[in-house]
Amino acid sequence: MSAQDRLTDALYGLGWGAVKKLPEPVAVRLGRTIADLAWKQRGKGVQRLESNYARVVPDATPERLAELSRAGMRSYLRYWMESFRLPAWSEERIKGGFEAKDLHHLTDGLASGRGVILALPHMANWDLAGAWVTTKLDTPFTTVAERLKPETLYDRFVAYREGLGMEVLPHSGGTAFGTLARRLRDGGLVCLVAERDLSSSGVEVQFFGEATRIPAGPALLAQQTGALLLPVTLWYDDSPVMRGRVHPPVEVPETGTRAEKTSVMAQALADAFASGIADHPEDWHMLQRLWLKDLDPSKGPS
């Protein structure tokens, strides 16, 4: 392990070890302070966040984009502070930490026994939403995690999420899809963060008027297993309670090839994500390149 990897792992270990012991108001203030410092430094992540927001709010002035990126960094650090503290939260704190609109789409789908796929973008705190599902709804689920460097950091994330009641599969290795399909055929729940393609083999969609790729997995799983595919978007308000919405199902088209059906479903998923992000752009934590124009180095610097 390199010195950089050891440092990264140590910092995350410090976060999980120390932040969860802080009183909640102290953790909130600490997160906001770190966010404001990072925002003022205007590193690559902050610049990329601002550039992404410019797609979401195309008529925003530079001053408005600066406000959005500052709010976005505060939201991002709120996610981290909550995540570091989640293992120490009581069941009642988790149950009271999230409220979802149109939850009936999920509960009715689970009651039907057909299996349900929840697909969501990187908004607010998807780990808190997951902990709420396993605690409040008493429903276990399976998810997929990107393999991180160093390996010890990936192991920390897996242990953290498994401690919240999730079954975590590695993104790489080729076996995740088959396991997810089996869980769905058994009437289970699968949750996937799905607006950024990590494989470079995703489905091209229009997202805020420009081309990008999103993973094909959610649409393919729904086609192959008959599971219900539900987009979910999350956001924060001024309260300690995170908010969310379960969007109407993305239906499998009745006609077309598998590729054509996947394309239609992926676009419907992207549209649902876009509607939630447009309503709450500051809670979309996308500090990486996303659009194809940005992913192609020949198009210019990031």
Side-chain angles (χ1 to χ4, degrees):
M1 186 189 299
S2 69
Q4 180 64 42
D5 285 347
R6 285 196 297 272
L7 176 61
T8 300
D9 184 57
L11 289 173
Y12 277 97
L14 179 65
W16 268 301
V19 173
K20 70 180 180 182
K21 298 177 182 178
L22 296 174
E24 190 159 341
V26 176
V28 169
R29 287 196 299 271
L30 176 62
R32 180 162 291 202
T33 298
I34 295 172
D36 288 349
L37 286 172
W39 177 76
K40 289 176 182 176
Q41 290 175 354
R42 292 196 58 78
K44 286 186 177 180
V46 173
Q47 292 180 50
R48 174 53 53 194
L49 183 67
E50 208 163 284
S51 174
N52 289 338
Y53 286 159
R55 260 71 170 241
V56 177
V57 191
D59 58 348
T61 63
E63 293 78 15
R64 171 62 176 146
L65 286 176
E67 291 174 359
L68 268 179
S69 65
R70 184 177 189 179
M73 289 304 295
R74 287 182 171 184
S75 176
Y76 185 50
L77 263 295
R78 176 172 171 176
Y79 158 75
W80 279 112
M81 290 294 138
E82 286 180 347
S83 294
F84 287 143
R85 292 174 51 77
L86 261 178
W89 280 18
S90 67
E91 285 192 5
E92 289 307 309
R93 178 68 179 88
I94 292 173
K95 290 177 180 179
F98 177 52
E99 290 185 359
K101 297 180 178 179
D102 299 326
L103 186 63
H104 65 91
H105 292 305
L106 172 57
T107 54
D108 291 351
L110 292 171
S112 74
R114 65 184 286 195
V116 177
I117 307 157
L118 296 180
L120 59 160
H122 290 80
M123 291 188 76
N125 191 338
W126 47 97
D127 285 325
L128 172 55
W132 184 87
V133 167
T134 61
T135 305
K136 177 76 172 180
L137 301 185
D138 194 23
T139 303
F141 66 86
T142 304
T143 188
V144 175
E146 177 185 2
R147 279 204 174 275
L148 302 171
K149 298 284 183 157
E151 195 74 16
T152 51
L153 180 58
Y154 172 76
D155 292 340
R156 284 185 188 273
F157 270 95
V158 170
Y160 157 66
R161 288 178 172 139
E162 288 179 342
L164 298 174
M166 312 174 194
E167 179 188 22
V168 183
L169 307 175
H171 182 270
S172 58
T175 61
F177 188 91
T179 302
L180 295 173
R182 286 194 296 274
R183 299 292 182 268
L184 292 167
R185 290 192 182 101
D186 290 338
L189 177 63
V190 164
C191 300
L192 301 170
V193 181
E195 95 281 28
R196 182 167 176 251
D197 177 43
L198 296 174
S199 66
S200 297
S201 59
V203 184
E204 186 169 321
V205 295
Q206 288 294 306
F207 196 54
F208 291 103
E210 291 190 37
T212 187
R213 286 188 298 265
I214 69 172
L220 290 173
L221 284 167
Q223 291 176 58
Q224 292 195 18
T225 68
L228 195 66
L229 175 55
L230 298 175
V232 177
T233 52
L234 308 171
W235 65 92
Y236 292 124
D237 57 19
D238 293 331
S239 79
V241 179
M242 184 176 71
R243 315 294 173 177
R245 180 190 174 198
V246 183
H247 295 252
V250 172
E251 303 290 350
V252 178
E254 294 183 2
T255 60
T257 65
R258 185 172 73 166
E260 289 168 344
K261 291 178 180 179
T262 301
S263 178
V264 170
M265 295 173 73
Q267 186 61 61
L269 204 57
D271 291 343
F273 292 165
S275 70
I277 292 168
D279 287 341
H280 306 279
E282 67 278 5
D283 292 316
W284 185 42
H285 307 153
M286 186 51 61
L287 281 73
Q288 298 85 21
R289 295 180 179 93
L290 184 75
W291 281 273
L292 299 187
K293 284 183 180 179
D294 296 334
L295 291 166
D296 184 352
S298 68
K299 302 294 184 181
S302 63

